[in-house]
Amino acid sequence: MRVLVSVDMEGIAGIVDVEDVRPGEREYERNRALMTAEANAAVLGVYDAEPDAEVLVSDAHAQFRNLLPEKLDRRATLLRGTPKSFGMMAGIAEDVHAVIFIGYHGRAGLAHSVLSHTINGSVVAEVRCNDRVLGELGLNAALAAAHGAVPILVAGDETVATEATGVARGIWSVVVKRALGARAAENLHPEEACARIRAAVPQALRRRARVRPLRFAGEVDLEVDVLTPAMAEHALLVPGIELLGERTLAYEAEDFPTAYRVIQLIALLGRL
């Protein structure tokens, strides 16, 4: 069995503020260790269930250089650095059987959700695929499904757990903190969070056949709202991207993986 573990940072237990996840800030180095510990909990859970499994761990936060390589379970392979094909989901392919999301957060615009955003909170206001609003979890679950992999578990706050029910029916959720606001939460102790993740992974693997993830068949009508009109300008240099209104970029993708790449491109160009 081949399993991909995609690890973001904002949904890790104990993390509540932008400064917690930003390199160079006082809390960042400690929080890298917390992130790595939750990643290891997922990896251990996979090996508890499948000792012969192959586990890929994709660093999925910011510039994808957050996990501590020397602290990661030595049996796992780490995908690190940028650019990476499919970004947060680097490593996804037709030979991956299951995907686990650790440290995930709610989509952009979601109220009472810890550090909620989509792809890049300084650029993207909302993403819609065939008129359906999706955050990072929804986009990544659909990308997994497009490659034949099953999204089996998500860990984060209770808002991403609720979001999960709408994008992957039957997915297992581990709530490691409960939102008190956009930058406040009631958190489990990090060791308790890791214990719950490790215990949940074997159960999620056993019941993966019950999961019904969101799937997009054929062409995808993509719309991305950026925060300001200026952020749309560079993206309009890309053939096929059109402007709808002042801040909405549109693209007709031949399939979902193509739409996913275009979202990444818009987020990148919007920062220029």
Side-chain angles (χ1 to χ4, degrees):
M1 172 177 287
R2 191 173 173 91
V3 179
L4 175 64
V5 182
S6 175
V7 191
D8 205 349
M9 200 169 192
E10 288 87 352
I12 299 295
I15 290 177
V16 296
D17 193 271
V18 174
E19 291 185 357
D20 290 343
V21 300
R22 184 180 292 156
E25 297 291 349
R26 182 177 59 185
E27 302 289 335
Y28 173 71
E29 288 302 321
R30 181 191 67 185
N31 293 330
R32 294 178 72 191
L34 297 181
M35 179 186 183
T36 306
E38 288 198 19
N40 274 333
V43 173
L44 287 167
V46 173
Y47 287 120
D48 288 343
E50 299 283 346
D52 296 327
E54 180 179 0
V55 182
L56 306 175
V57 177
S58 181
D59 192 320
H61 176 68
Q63 297 303 304
F64 309 143
R65 291 186 292 113
N66 309 277
L67 290 167
L68 300 169
E70 71 278 12
K71 298 296 184 182
L72 193 66
D73 189 301
R74 65 186 300 166
R75 294 169 293 181
T77 301
L78 175 61
L79 291 86
R80 185 173 191 261
T82 187
K84 292 189 300 181
S85 179
F86 290 125
M88 298 177 74
M89 290 289 286
I92 191 63
E94 278 67 25
D95 61 351
V96 172
H97 299 92
V99 179
I100 296 168
F101 306 107
I102 300 296
Y104 270 58
H105 52 79
R107 62 175 174 79
L110 197 62
H112 205 74
S113 179
V114 181
L115 297 173
S116 59
H117 65 277
T118 300
I119 307 299
N120 186 324
S122 63
V123 175
V124 177
E126 187 172 277
V127 173
R128 296 178 296 279
C129 294
N130 292 350
D131 294 323
R132 181 160 187 165
V133 179
L134 295 175
E136 290 174 18
L137 177 63
L139 293 168
N140 292 346
L143 186 67
H147 286 84
V150 182
I152 63 166
L153 181 145
V154 60
D157 74 4
E158 85 282 12
T159 67
V160 78
T162 299
E163 191 175 332
T165 63
V167 296
R169 183 164 52 87
I171 191 173
W172 197 287
S173 295
V174 180
V175 175
V176 301
K177 57 189 174 187
R178 296 190 178 276
L180 301 177
R183 296 189 180 185
E186 177 184 347
N187 297 271
L188 293 180
H189 188 282
E191 292 180 3
E192 177 63 19
C194 289
R196 294 189 187 188
I197 291 169
R198 181 175 182 175
V201 168
Q203 299 179 73
L205 279 169
R206 283 195 295 269
R207 52 178 289 172
R208 64 186 182 276
R210 305 180 191 179
V211 179
R212 297 293 181 268
L214 178 64
R215 296 179 184 274
F216 290 89
E219 296 182 354
V220 177
D221 291 328
L222 171 67
E223 292 184 1
V224 179
D225 294 342
V226 294
L227 296 178
T228 69
M231 290 178 178
E233 292 176 354
H234 287 100
L236 291 173
L237 297 174
V238 178
I241 294 182
E242 299 179 350
L243 186 66
L244 301 178
E246 296 180 342
R247 298 183 296 107
T248 301
L249 294 162
Y251 186 85
E252 292 185 8
E254 62 182 5
D255 54 25
F256 187 79
T258 301
Y260 190 96
R261 291 182 185 275
V262 172
I263 296 166
Q264 289 181 287
L265 182 61
I266 290 171
L268 176 65
L269 294 174
R271 296 201 301 264
L272 299 179

